[in-house]
Amino acid sequence: MSNNNDYNSPSFKKLLDSLQQQSWELELIISGFAIFGLFTAYEPLRIEMLNAQNENQIYRFVVYFILNIACSILLFNLLLHVILRGLWIGSLGLRYVSGDIEFDKLRYSERFTKYLKKRIISFDRYIANLENYCSVLFAISFLLIFYVLAMTMIILSIVFVATYIIEGDLLPEEFGNIFGAILIMFIVFGMFLTFIDFITQGWLKKKKWISRIYFPIYWIFSFITLSFLYRPLVYNFLDNRFGKRLILLLAPIYIIILMITSLEYRQSNYLDKEQRSSSMFAKKENYLDMMTEEGDFPGGVVIPSKVITQPYLNVFVPFSESLENRVFAYKDSLKPENDRRGLSSSIKISSNWSDQITSARQKDSIRKVYLKTFNEIYSFRIDTLDMDEDFILTTGIKNVLGFETFLKISNLDEGKHILRLRRKKKEKDTVVTLTDVILPFWYFKN
């Protein structure tokens, strides 16, 4: 008994030919579901990207940035595919009614008739070209998902090396730093060569002496990028002239779309809504009642509103990695031997409960010193008056971790005031005071 899935058997080839003829129906169904899913996912991805940028999480930001770009490209490809498929279906219907183009019935001059016959040739050829464009464009759209996955895997590889080899405890510190640096350089160099090979459509594989050097890198990166999952699809494109032409055509289109989406209209030579809050400008990221949209995230300091009617002012300072770096720079003893920041697993396996209890108590004592140091570093000034503050840790706006305090302002005059967040910084043997954030607000008594 022959195997029906044997790719060499005539029955299997006949099945593939039959499915190939009916593939346009599946393409339209999948495109419809994919477009709906992409439109649904686009805004959450953008919000996560902005959230990562707001919290200075560079690795997370890069991953979501790549996913956001991939989502945009896939939306463009699939929408274009649906439009071309619609045009193809309409052309088939017109062919059923009208048949092929009869240039003689148009009664054009000989010059135009020759030109149109040379350019169009036949209506059937036009339909065949539309079919080719639709099929290839659909395949390229989903091939892009694998390319995005490949880029994400490379980024995660760099993060893994930096976290677990350079900064981790897997290897001795000095050896880990050297070995980790070599691995990162290899990944970056291999990524560059793989990209060059991709945009030149295999030029590095064609040159005999270069291919010998490139082959080990290609073999390793086939596992890092998971290219073994989609390699047949890639080379099926590259050995087809039509597929190569379409890939070359889409690349500049993506660049043009990126340039168009980056365009913005400037209304003023001097005024800019993206500037930071100051004594002359109030940005909405610093006022809680103005952050009404889902994609709004708190700035360096947040107060309830521009207009305060209570005898106290609630102030929230969001936590960030850069803020913790400032605490470590101010008080060296707080800096841990092994920095646990970055990607890590929440799964903890331990059979010694007493050790866990001891560790928790140690962390609580360190947190008290941490908070005390933060209160020592940061202070407030309203106009020319220094304010007393006592920060506590909290999960405030949109569940963001941060520091919160309440300032007594009942003795202030009614009207406009300027709130300044001041920070101490050690420079060699001296301590200097800097102003990090400036916020205007108005105080009116109830």
Side-chain angles (χ1 to χ4, degrees):
M1 182 181 292
S2 62
N3 187 355
N4 291 332
N5 290 330
D6 182 7
Y7 66 91
N8 287 319
S9 68
S11 60
F12 187 71
K13 292 182 181 295
K14 187 176 180 181
L15 175 64
L16 289 180
D17 290 338
S18 175
L19 291 174
Q20 182 177 307
Q21 296 299 322
Q22 303 300 324
S23 64
W24 66 271
E25 297 175 353
L26 294 174
E27 287 178 14
L28 284 176
I29 292 172
I30 294 173
S31 291
F33 279 109
I35 289 170
F36 174 77
L38 288 168
F39 269 119
T40 305
Y42 183 82
E43 189 62 19
L45 286 175
R46 188 185 71 85
I47 290 171
E48 286 296 329
M49 182 184 71
L50 293 175
N51 189 18
Q53 182 182 19
N54 184 70
E55 295 180 3
N56 295 325
Q57 297 176 351
I58 183 64
Y59 303 124
R60 184 172 158 220
F61 169 77
V62 170
V63 171
Y64 278 109
F65 178 71
I66 292 172
L67 290 175
N68 203 259
I69 292 175
C71 188
S72 303
I73 293 175
L74 280 173
L75 272 174
F76 170 78
N77 279 10
L78 293 178
L79 286 171
L80 181 60
H81 169 261
V82 170
I83 292 170
L84 291 178
R85 270 297 174 197
L87 184 60
W88 177 77
I89 293 171
S91 301
L92 285 176
L94 183 61
R95 182 183 183 278
Y96 174 76
V97 174
S98 181
D100 207 342
I101 302 172
E102 298 181 22
F103 292 100
D104 294 335
K105 288 187 177 181
L106 296 175
R107 297 179 181 178
Y108 291 158
S109 66
E110 184 180 353
R111 183 186 183 94
F112 274 99
T113 302
K114 286 183 178 179
Y115 176 80
L116 292 174
K117 282 184 176 180
K118 183 180 178 181
R119 287 289 180 179
I120 298 175
I121 300 178
S122 72
F123 195 60
D124 287 355
R125 184 189 177 186
Y126 172 72
I127 294 174
N129 284 338
L130 278 178
E131 165 68 21
N132 290 336
Y133 275 111
C134 290
S135 297
V136 174
L137 184 62
F138 183 79
I140 286 177
S141 299
F142 287 92
L143 182 61
L144 284 171
I145 295 176
F146 290 108
Y147 284 146
V148 170
L149 180 61
M151 293 179 68
T152 305
M153 291 299 295
I154 290 174
I155 293 171
L156 290 178
S157 298
I158 295 174
V159 173
F160 178 84
V161 172
T163 304
Y164 293 101
I165 295 181
I166 295 179
E167 298 181 358
D169 299 328
L170 294 177
L171 299 171
E173 183 177 354
E174 187 174 349
F175 177 74
N177 290 337
I178 297 172
F179 183 62
I182 293 172
L183 280 179
I184 288 179
M185 286 190 293
F186 172 78
I187 293 172
V188 172
F189 180 69
M191 178 179 64
F192 176 74
L193 287 183
T194 304
F195 178 71
I196 293 296
D197 188 61
F198 168 72
I199 62 174
T200 57
Q201 298 184 348
W203 183 81
L204 296 179
K205 300 185 188 77
K206 297 174 184 177
K207 303 299 179 181
K208 188 174 181 180
W209 65 274
I210 297 179
S211 65
R212 291 179 179 176
I213 301 172
Y214 178 59
F215 180 78
I217 298 173
Y218 170 81
W219 184 81
I220 293 172
F221 268 76
S222 69
F223 291 98
I224 295 177
T225 62
L226 306 179
S227 65
F228 58 87
L229 296 174
Y230 54 90
R231 189 181 294 147
L233 194 60
V234 175
Y235 290 111
N236 209 330
F237 274 119
L238 296 180
D239 74 350
N240 181 276
R241 184 181 177 186
F242 186 83
K244 291 172 71 173
R245 284 169 55 191
L246 186 59
I247 291 174
L248 292 174
L249 178 65
L250 285 174
I253 290 176
Y254 295 148
I255 296 172
I256 291 170
I257 292 173
L258 182 63
M259 292 177 64
I260 291 173
T261 54
S262 65
L263 293 176
E264 61 179 19
Y265 183 80
R266 292 188 178 274
Q267 296 176 303
S268 172
N269 287 299
Y270 304 106
L271 306 182
D272 182 8
K273 65 180 181 180
E274 296 302 323
Q275 61 185 300
R276 296 177 61 185
S277 290
S278 65
S279 59
M280 298 183 295
F281 183 79
K283 195 171 184 179
K284 72 174 185 176
E285 66 176 13
N286 300 115
Y287 303 93
L288 180 59
D289 61 348
M290 295 178 66
M291 290 189 288
T292 56
E293 298 179 10
E294 191 177 357
D296 291 337
F297 293 99
V301 172
V302 181
I303 60 176
S305 175
K306 292 178 188 174
V307 178
I308 305 298
T309 57
Q310 302 294 330
Y312 57 85
L313 178 63
N314 178 214
V315 184
F316 178 74
V317 179
F319 173 80
S320 65
E321 287 190 25
S322 59
L323 188 149
E324 183 159 289
N325 290 334
R326 292 169 183 170
V327 172
F328 291 164
Y330 189 83
K331 195 174 186 66
D332 294 336
S333 60
L334 281 172
K335 189 171 183 180
E337 294 182 5
N338 301 314
D339 199 329
R340 298 173 60 238
R341 291 178 293 181
L343 294 176
S344 63
S345 174
S346 60
I347 300 174
K348 305 295 181 185
I349 300 174
S350 177
S351 58
N352 194 332
W353 291 101
S354 61
D355 289 345
Q356 292 186 27
I357 294 171
T358 303
S359 177
R361 289 174 178 171
Q362 289 175 347
K363 287 181 180 178
D364 284 340
S365 62
I366 293 174
R367 287 191 187 105
K368 291 178 181 178
V369 178
Y370 188 109
L371 190 58
K372 183 180 178 182
T373 305
F374 182 86
N375 276 288
E376 185 180 345
I377 294 174
Y378 286 93
S379 61
F380 288 102
R381 175 177 289 179
I382 297 179
D383 301 329
T384 58
L385 181 65
D386 291 330
M387 307 297 294
D388 293 329
E389 86 291 329
D390 185 17
F391 283 103
I392 64 166
L393 280 167
T394 184
T395 47
I397 304 160
K398 299 189 178 183
N399 203 33
V400 174
L401 177 66
F403 303 86
E404 185 179 44
T405 190
F406 292 82
L407 305 178
K408 182 182 177 182
I409 58 173
S410 56
N411 57 341
L412 293 180
D413 296 332
E414 292 189 337
K416 180 184 175 183
H417 297 279
I418 303 297
L419 173 70
R420 288 177 171 84
L421 176 64
R422 294 157 61 80
R423 171 172 59 92
K424 292 180 182 179
K425 180 183 178 182
K426 287 185 178 180
E427 290 186 355
K428 296 181 179 179
D429 297 330
T430 59
V431 176
V432 296
T433 303
L434 308 173
T435 300
D436 271 1
V437 183
I438 300 175
L439 294 185
F441 72 95
W442 283 257
Y443 173 56
F444 295 101
K445 299 177 182 178
N446 265 332

